[in-house]
Amino acid sequence: MESGWKKEKDPFHVIHKVPSGDGFYVRAKHAQLVKKDPEAAIVWFWKAINGGDRVDSALKDMAVVMKQLDRTEEAIEAVKSFRGLCSRHAQESLDNKCGKVDEQIVLLKHKLKLIYLGEAFNGKPTKTARSHGKKFQVSIKQESSRILGNLGWAYMQKSNYMAAEVVYRKAQMIEPDANKALNLCHCLIKQARYDEVDLVLQEVLQYKLPGCDDMKSRNRADELLFELEANRPTSTFLSNLPGLSVEDGFVESLEREMNERAPTRSRRLPIFEEISQYRNQLAC
């Protein structure tokens, strides 16, 4: 009798295992656990994240709800975009909620395969998507570029900058934007291909791509420009030395010796194989 009486007297939030209060996060948990309305819960989780209300828990719980609704790829993107707002100790937990990088790569490549085979969007040219609790229409072209961008980011997390470069270039061919261009610059810097970095970076600095006017993109472009100048080798002193010029084959012989000493590795990438065979379907 005593335990039954206590249960009746317990506060509502204890019975339903939801936190007390009236903030965005509390409302999200109420929608998730009490009303059993996952779509409404996601809307409130977005508000909690944007409002700085228990961001660690809100982002992790939202990823769980999204995965339950078979929106795993959207959960991955949300975690990737907002994990910087979370505390350091929450990072490993976020990885567990969302999946490791290798799992993300498999998932993203599967999404691309469905698009290539015409099985995405149920054969329709567009689909309804959600972001920050809002609905909008997404085309096949936009979805392809977005998923490729996410795949490029996943390869960057594994420091596979060659694979990331191939994917970002393909994404830019479909639908270019400043964010993917800056990620491509990062990949090229990591490969010490500074002249190519300069070409891509100028497109952002000269406002030639969508998203170039975003302050975050501007700041990142400035950072990459500084990194480019700091890493670019200065070769003017070589041309001033008597009897030595680039035409003498000095650079070529040095590169050949480095290649002979370095372990050989294939430049053919599995993702390039998969994308190239469908290049006609992805042409702009």
Side-chain angles (χ1 to χ4, degrees):
M1 292 292 295
E2 184 178 351
S3 61
W5 177 86
K6 183 178 180 181
K7 185 175 181 180
E8 289 180 0
K9 295 296 183 179
D10 277 342
F12 178 87
H13 69 276
V14 174
I15 297 173
H16 294 279
K17 298 181 179 179
V18 297
S20 59
D22 192 38
F24 292 140
Y25 178 72
V26 171
R27 296 185 185 187
K29 296 300 290 183
H30 187 270
Q32 177 192 4
L33 301 175
V34 180
K35 292 186 176 180
K36 308 295 183 182
D37 187 349
E39 295 287 355
I42 290 174
V43 173
W44 285 111
F45 280 132
W46 273 125
K47 291 183 178 181
I49 293 167
N50 291 324
D53 182 11
R54 307 190 198 186
V55 178
D56 287 11
S57 298
L59 187 54
K60 287 186 290 185
D61 290 347
M62 186 176 71
V64 170
V65 175
M66 285 179 170
K67 290 183 71 174
Q68 291 171 348
L69 295 177
D70 196 26
R71 292 162 59 180
T72 305
E73 200 268 327
E74 186 178 347
I76 291 173
E77 184 179 6
V79 169
K80 183 190 74 174
S81 300
F82 292 95
R83 66 184 303 153
L85 300 177
C86 298
S87 59
R88 182 171 298 179
H89 74 270
Q91 301 298 317
E92 183 176 350
S93 179
L94 283 171
D95 286 336
N96 293 332
K97 297 291 184 185
C98 197
K100 298 296 183 180
V101 175
D102 288 336
E103 296 172 357
Q104 295 176 26
I105 290 174
V106 171
L107 174 64
L108 292 167
K109 289 167 73 173
H110 176 68
K111 292 274 188 179
L112 286 171
K113 185 176 181 179
L114 292 179
I115 292 176
Y116 300 150
L117 296 176
E119 297 177 5
F121 295 12
N122 295 319
K124 298 179 181 178
T126 62
K127 77 168 184 177
T128 301
R130 293 173 180 268
S131 180
H132 296 240
K134 297 180 180 179
K135 294 182 179 180
F136 57 95
Q137 292 297 309
V138 177
S139 69
I140 288 286
K141 187 168 118 174
Q142 291 171 325
E143 183 76 347
S144 298
S145 180
R146 185 181 66 82
I147 294 176
L148 283 167
N150 289 343
L151 182 58
W153 180 262
Y155 277 126
M156 285 175 63
Q157 305 315 296
K158 293 178 67 66
S159 299
N160 190 345
Y161 298 110
M162 286 175 57
E165 177 204 344
V166 172
V167 175
Y168 278 127
R169 287 193 185 278
K170 177 59 67 175
Q172 289 294 79
M173 289 171 61
I174 299 170
E175 190 176 54
D177 65 46
N179 183 58
K180 292 194 291 290
L182 293 171
N183 286 340
L184 175 58
C185 286
H186 180 78
C187 294
L188 294 170
I189 286 176
K190 290 297 184 179
Q191 298 177 69
R193 290 158 58 188
Y194 303 117
D195 290 340
E196 295 177 65
V197 176
D198 199 33
L199 290 174
V200 178
L201 193 56
Q202 287 305 316
E203 290 187 314
V204 179
L205 295 173
Q206 296 174 18
Y207 296 88
K208 292 183 177 180
L209 298 173
C212 289
D213 55 349
D214 179 73
M215 184 57 65
K216 186 176 180 179
S217 294
R218 303 302 302 172
N219 292 338
R220 191 175 174 212
D222 290 338
E223 292 172 1
L224 285 169
L225 181 61
F226 179 81
E227 185 176 356
L228 171 64
E229 295 304 325
N231 285 280
R232 193 200 303 267
T234 54
S235 57
T236 53
F237 77 97
L238 290 175
S239 61
N240 295 328
L241 293 176
L244 180 61
S245 67
V246 174
E247 288 75 13
D248 289 331
F250 173 78
V251 175
E252 288 82 355
S253 61
L254 178 60
E255 183 178 8
R256 184 165 55 251
E257 181 178 352
M258 291 176 64
N259 289 336
E260 289 173 356
R261 293 177 180 273
T264 58
R265 61 174 179 172
S266 172
R267 293 185 65 88
R268 292 196 61 79
L269 305 169
I271 185 58
F272 182 80
E273 301 266 346
E274 292 186 32
I275 292 176
S276 61
Q277 62 180 308
Y278 298 104
R279 60 183 179 274
N280 293 331
Q281 298 181 38
L282 286 174
C284 295

